[in-house]
Amino acid sequence: MGQNTRIASAAAENAVKDIRRKTRKRYSTEDKIRIVLAGLRGGDNNAELCQQESISQGLYYS
């Protein structure tokens, strides 16, 4: 019974990973350049820019 539970939980984890992978937003090259240039211009601080673009600050800096 324990092995069946492990198999079911592994299958559920894989299903969740697949859903996240398919629903992840993909940014075009133009979008990436636009966001970085907006950050370099310095109009808003980077936290506000990231919030406007709906991205995390870690993603912006990477």
Side-chain angles (χ1 to χ4, degrees), residues 9-24:
S9 65
E13 287 179 25
N14 287 337
V16 169
K17 286 181 183 179
D18 288 342
I19 291 170
R20 286 185 181 155
R21 193 174 301 123
K22 290 177 183 176
T23 59
R24 180 181 293 167

Side-chain angles (χ1 to χ4, degrees), residues 26-42:
R26 305 216 182 252
Y27 292 93
S28 68
T29 304
E30 292 83 13
D31 286 338
K32 292 176 187 178
I33 292 170
R34 180 183 52 79
I35 292 169
V36 170
L37 288 177
L40 292 175
R41 281 190 206 113

Side-chain angles (χ1 to χ4, degrees), residues 3-15:
Q3 187 175 4
N4 289 338
T5 305
R6 279 187 233 129
I7 292 171
S9 65
E13 287 179 25
N14 287 337

